Amino acid sequence: MTPVVSRDSPLRGLLGGKTATVLADQLGIHTVDDLLGHYPRRYAERGELTDLASLRVGDEVTIIARVRSVSQRRMRNKRGTLTDVVVGDGRRSLSLVFFNQPWRAKQLAVGVSGLFAGKIGVRGTQVQLTHPECEIFGATTAGLDPDIDPGALVDDSERAMTYASKLIPVYPASRGMPSWTIARCLRLILDAVTDVADPLPLAMRERRGLIGLPQAWRKIHQPESLAEVELARLRLKWDEAVTVQVTLAQRRVAQAVNPAFPRAVRDGGLLDAFDARLPFVLTAGQRVVGAEISHELGGHRPMNRLLQGEVGSGKTVVALRAMLQVIDAGAQAAFLAPTEVLAAQHLRTLRSLLGPLGISGELGAEEHATRVTLLTGSLSAKARRAALSEAAGGAAGIVVGTHALLEESVQFAELGLVVIDEQHRFGVEQRDVLRAKSAAPPHVLVLTATPIPRTVAMTVYGDLETTTLTEVPAGRAEVTTRVVPTQEQPAWLDRAWTRIVEEAHTGGRSFIVCPRIGDDAGTGKNAAGRIDDGDDSSFSGSQDDSLLEDEEAVSAKRAPLAVLDVADRLREGPLAGLRLAILHGRLPAEEKDTTMLAFAAGDLDALVTTTVVEVGVDVPEASVMAIMDADRFGVSQLHQLRGRIGRGSRPGICLLVTDSPAESPARLRLDAVAATRDGFELARVDLASRREGNILGAAQSGRRSGLRLLSLLDDEAIITQAREEATYLVALDPDLAQHRALAAEVARLSEDDRADYLDKA
Ligand code: ADP
Ligand code: MG
């Protein structure tokens, strides 16, 4: 009787015990599904030898080569033998070295070809693999590797079959678990899962031209041709896309179950009073988006909307107008910011936009006035009590805060709208906590600081409807961006400083941005060149960490420039005589405020700063921004930073200072930023330069990122179509009662911590 094998069956019991242990310990593969989802990295063609010129020292490799010569000698000092097998690709050679394995000379006879796996090392001028794993083509028991778990896996017929096909899958492997052993384990498992139920309904497969799942597994692991691999990949990408989209569709359905309390526009209220005192006219985009939101707020269906927009497109005003509509309808709004600095900035912005309309109960307040209250973790006990009571009593129309707003002690008289400033993502869970603070689900408006590509919106924010604000208010100045390559054009940097001095003399103001604060030699925490900004690290280092980690090897050459050092050098050197100050997250909140206000008021000419200025700083006279070590920042971060200048009528110039060489990946990213101010275009560049797992905010390891084959950048068509299919399917069968296999797949995804980006509720 054959055991019943399901996708969730543990491999232990199906494979030899030692094999199962090694797979689990070294590759994190525990179940049948884990193994089936361990896709080949590439396919080698039998008869074709690996180009040995491409090998680099330190690489873990699996190569195909042919034995050219074998020599064996006794070692001088130690007892034993040393076997040196030279393999080649026809031009270059590689030495395989074995100690005390004299039988290797017979196994690896001249002319034999096979697979060899190990870590590339060097001895003298010769590259070598020491004790590589070996797999000889052709059935020969002489090639039996005693290290491989015998189990049921290795016998001659098995071996002959493995290489009957022209394409040899090359798997991400590890020491003790070479690629070909993985292939053999798969051979065994593939035969046991031919009857597994297909999660994608037949009708959907037929509509979309997809092969069955067991067939897809077979074709990706044992393809006859690359065309088969493509068919398999398409099908398996669909699995990923549909599972994610069904999860999101179910969430949308669940959110729509409890009706919201409608907050329709009220004429002659606070919103009208605000509009009347706005110093500018709304852009066409702001009006359209505003009307859409206003309409939704007036309905019974809870709004769940993502408002994304170009830097400087005026999202804050749109959000504020939505909040005022809700206040007019007798409810309150919560405005959630990712950090204390940003919360304080939002508070200032909202208060200044509202003017006398935002100071109810104080001198000079106008008739319809409301109150804007701050609630963060660092408030004094007294201030906190006051804020809590304004929220609970309803005196505060708007409560601006950080995560502190999520605490249980925070109550609202009537919460009607939650606005989330999504510089750092608040998960579904956190949105749910806020929702739970009112009887009926409040409306939710999420603002993104950076435009995100459609596919990311559909995947990461798939439970939200999206609205886009592309237009930037008219009358904004031009901003020119230049790369300043200090290696090739050292004189350009001097010109940059001269420009900053000239600017100061004509009333302009400048930012000099550095990746690091400095003065942290003792902590060593910045040794890797990580962007860090003290208490603001939760956003300054946010999404771009991944990028930096990828390049650690390159950027470790020197520590990135630091605010404190650069400020000292500029004060004594090129910017001597200017009124210069520093700004970073480790400064006390008061000092930060004073400095920003002085800069805004024109009492300072230049700020040497970290990414603290990335968001929300609004100084119309700021016209120059020099970003030092610009290659240490991510694309979207640079775009955000650049959004801080050219906000008035003064044309802006943004200088991306870097010592990265021309044509290097870092430099190409900077060139892309210099080439366009279109945030959507840059979002694509950003996406392309990152590992997908990190966009999704999943675990560090790129390979284990929930989405294994699906690319958010390249698979837009699949994602869009899968979303249609999922929406349709969930509308007919919300609990997936008729789709058991798919339900299991969805459950598997939500248990999988690789899919953290989905913030399962
Ligand atoms: P972002 O979308 O980047 O958050 P903000 O909301 O901070 O943009 O707006 C940027 C600046 O533009 C602010 O100073 C804001 O007051 C101003 N602003 C917003 N809407 C308009 C408009 N329609 N006309 C002119 N200025 C505007
Ligand atoms: Mg903003």
Side-chain angles (χ1 to χ4, degrees):
M1 221 183 74
T2 42
V4 181
V5 174
S6 80
R7 295 178 63 177
D8 293 317
S9 303
L11 290 172
R12 193 172 298 278
L14 297 172
L15 303 174
K18 186 182 159 199
T19 307
T21 304
V22 177
L23 282 172
D25 292 352
Q26 299 194 359
L27 298 169
I29 295 171
H30 303 273
T31 64
V32 164
D33 207 59
D34 291 342
L35 183 61
L36 290 167
H38 190 71
Y39 303 129
R41 196 199 302 283
R42 62 190 168 86
Y43 300 88
E45 282 198 42
R46 174 147 198 209
E48 190 180 84
L49 302 174
T50 309
D51 179 6
L52 296 179
S54 64
L55 304 181
R56 283 178 315 193
V57 174
D59 283 355
E60 286 282 355
V61 298
T62 300
I63 61 162
I64 304 182
R66 181 170 292 120
V67 176
R68 298 215 308 218
S69 68
V70 181
S71 61
Q72 192 140 226
R73 61 183 165 83
R74 298 211 68 77
M75 285 180 284
R76 245 170 279 144
N77 300 328
K78 299 171 218 153
R79 277 176 304 174
T81 57
L82 185 148
T83 310
D84 191 356
V85 177
V86 177
V87 299
D89 63 359
R91 274 161 304 166
R92 274 161 228 269
S93 65
L94 176 72
S95 177
L96 314 179
V97 184
F98 303 92
F99 300 106
N100 288 335
Q101 294 186 352
W103 53 272
R104 290 287 189 186
K106 247 187 249 143
Q107 179 204 22
L108 303 172
V110 174
V112 160
S113 61
L115 291 158
F116 305 95
K119 190 170 180 173
I120 299 283
V122 266
R123 193 183 41 179
T125 57
Q126 176 66 50
V127 273
Q128 67 176 32
L129 292 174
T130 305
H131 281 212
E133 307 274 0
C134 307
E135 173 82 344
I136 305 306
F137 294 149
T140 154
T141 34
L144 248 187
D145 182 337
D147 292 340
I148 295 179
D149 189 8
L153 293 178
V154 184
D155 69 37
D156 279 359
S157 59
E158 184 75 40
R159 196 166 280 239
M161 263 167 64
T162 309
Y163 300 108
S165 156
K166 222 174 141 251
L167 289 178
I168 300 168
V170 180
Y171 290 96
S174 69
R175 203 143 187 79
M177 185 49 64
S179 177
W180 51 87
T181 305
I182 295 171
R184 268 187 218 120
C185 296
L186 272 158
R187 174 168 298 281
L188 211 76
I189 296 304
L190 282 169
D191 286 339
V193 293
T194 48
D195 291 334
V196 159
D198 199 314
L200 302 189
L202 182 63
M204 187 194 298
R205 286 182 348 239
E206 284 177 344
R207 254 193 314 272
R208 306 297 180 176
L210 304 173
I211 59 176
L213 182 58
Q215 217 186 338
W217 281 328
R218 180 76 68 180
K219 287 188 195 303
I220 200 159
H221 291 295
Q222 302 176 340
E224 299 284 338
S225 65
L226 290 175
E228 286 197 355
V229 175
E230 277 320 299
L231 278 180
R233 287 172 58 90
L234 176 67
R235 154 67 211 225
L236 294 165
K237 283 177 178 184
W238 264 84
D239 274 24
E240 295 178 5
V242 169
T243 311
V244 168
Q245 294 303 335
V246 162
T247 309
L248 296 169
Q250 284 183 312
R251 198 176 283 166
R252 287 193 297 269
V253 167
Q255 278 169 1
V257 167
N258 294 324
F261 203 90
R263 315 284 180 187
V265 177
R266 183 164 63 81
D267 287 336
L270 186 52
L271 178 56
D272 282 351
F274 174 76
D275 282 346
R277 71 178 294 274
L278 253 187
F280 45 71
V281 270
L282 296 175
T283 64
Q286 282 170 320
R287 278 200 302 274
V288 171
V289 168
E292 190 176 23
I293 292 172
S294 169
H295 177 75
E296 269 190 293
L297 290 175
H300 286 278
R301 201 166 152 263
M303 175 174 82
N304 275 294
R305 190 160 285 282
L306 175 76
L307 173 59
Q308 57 170 343
E310 194 53 86
V311 174
S313 58
K315 295 182 289 291
T316 317
V317 173
V318 172
L320 178 55
R321 293 186 69 253
M323 293 192 268
L324 297 180
Q325 175 174 336
V326 166
I327 296 169
D328 275 339
Q332 295 162 286
F335 194 145
L336 215 53
T339 65
E340 300 227 339
V341 175
L342 270 177
Q345 253 166 37
H346 283 314
L347 179 81
R348 266 201 300 272
T349 308
L350 296 181
R351 279 194 178 149
S352 87
L353 281 167
L354 285 168
L357 292 172
I359 49 168
S360 162
E362 292 173 37
L363 209 62
E366 275 188 22
E367 190 194 340
H368 302 284
T370 186
R371 282 190 72 77
V372 189
T373 301
L374 181 71
L375 185 51
T376 62
S378 67
L379 289 185
S380 69
K382 187 170 162 230
R384 182 181 164 78
R385 267 199 306 278
L388 284 176
S389 109
E390 286 187 0
I398 300 174
V399 183
V400 182
T402 52
H403 278 87
L405 274 185
L406 302 176
E407 287 164 20
E408 217 172 301
S409 56
V410 181
Q411 298 295 331
F412 291 85
E414 174 135 18
L415 184 59
L417 171 66
V418 177
V419 177
I420 300 175
D421 185 5
E422 193 85 333
Q423 173 70 15
H424 198 66
R425 280 178 359 88
F426 282 94
V428 168
E429 257 170 74
Q430 289 153 322
R431 278 183 241 150
D432 285 346
V433 172
L434 273 172
R435 280 201 189 95
K437 289 190 185 292
S438 82
H443 298 284
V444 175
L445 180 65
V446 180
L447 311 179
T448 59
T450 337
I452 52 177
R454 222 169 77 83
T455 45
V456 177
M458 278 193 297
T459 310
V460 183
Y461 301 91
D463 57 334
L464 305 174
E465 325 256 358
T466 346
T467 303
T468 303
L469 210 51
T470 43
E471 194 182 353
V472 174
R476 285 287 159 77
E478 274 304 299
V479 173
T480 318
T481 305
R482 294 249 159 72
V483 176
V484 178
T486 49
Q487 291 295 312
E488 296 128 65
Q489 305 286 352
W492 290 12
L493 188 56
D494 296 332
R495 267 193 255 160
W497 304 133
T498 311
R499 175 65 189 260
I500 287 176
V501 173
E502 286 167 5
E503 204 71 20
H505 290 151
T506 60
R509 267 155 255 172
S510 306
F511 293 109
I512 296 119
V513 183
C514 302
R516 203 162 61 93
I517 302 173
D519 199 19
D520 51 3
T523 71
K525 68 177 173 183
N526 282 308
R530 183 83 58 90
I531 292 177
D532 178 73
D533 187 36
D535 70 10
D536 295 320
S537 57
S538 63
F539 74 91
S540 64
S542 61
Q543 335 166 315
D544 298 289
D545 274 359
S546 56
L547 197 62
L548 296 164
E549 274 161 25
D550 277 351
E551 291 175 359
E552 245 167 51
V554 184
S555 49
K557 58 188 189 274
R558 71 165 164 77
L561 292 171
V563 166
L564 301 178
D565 307 336
V566 169
D568 284 347
R569 270 188 281 152
L570 291 176
R571 267 197 197 104
E572 286 153 24
L575 300 190
L578 292 198
R579 295 166 302 168
L580 203 76
I582 57 169
L583 186 68
H584 59 73
R586 285 214 306 264
L587 294 175
E590 245 169 74
E591 195 175 334
K592 270 184 284 196
D593 275 0
T594 322
T595 305
M596 261 326 296
L597 290 177
F599 185 69
D603 296 336
L604 290 169
D605 300 312
L607 274 187
V608 185
T609 171
T610 59
T611 50
V612 177
V613 295
E614 187 181 330
V615 201
V617 173
D618 199 10
V619 179
E621 294 82 6
S623 49
V624 180
M625 175 171 282
I627 305 177
M628 311 306 292
D629 279 340
D631 49 294
R632 313 276 179 144
F633 298 89
V635 170
S636 53
Q637 212 172 10
L638 292 171
H639 185 56
Q640 271 295 307
L641 282 167
R642 177 171 57 180
R644 302 303 115 206
I645 56 169
R647 293 173 81 89
S649 54
R650 206 171 244 278
I653 176 155
C654 176
L655 303 166
L656 306 175
V657 182
T658 178
D659 59 8
S660 63
E663 303 301 323
S664 64
R667 184 70 168 274
L668 293 174
R669 279 205 315 272
L670 297 183
D671 290 342
V673 175
T676 179
R677 270 181 94 192
D678 179 342
F680 288 89
E681 175 63 31
L682 289 174
R684 283 188 74 82
V685 173
D686 203 13
L687 193 53
S689 67
R690 288 167 188 233
R691 290 175 305 186
E692 307 240 319
N694 286 308
I695 305 159
L696 302 176
Q700 274 78 18
S701 158
R703 189 170 62 78
R704 297 237 137 217
S705 65
L707 300 187
R708 299 179 218 219
L709 295 176
L710 193 69
S711 156
L712 295 183
L713 193 62
D714 302 329
D715 295 324
E716 180 164 350
I718 296 177
I719 294 170
T720 312
Q721 293 167 19
R723 185 180 170 91
E724 284 165 19
E725 292 283 356
T727 308
Y728 170 70
L729 192 148
V730 170
L732 295 179
D733 181 14
D735 302 325
L736 304 180
Q738 314 299 318
H739 298 88
R740 302 314 308 163
L742 182 55
E745 188 83 330
V746 167
R748 205 174 285 125
L749 177 75
S750 72
E751 277 158 22
D752 189 340
D753 51 304
R754 287 172 295 187
D756 269 349
Y757 62 91
L758 282 174
D759 299 307
K760 52 264 177 193

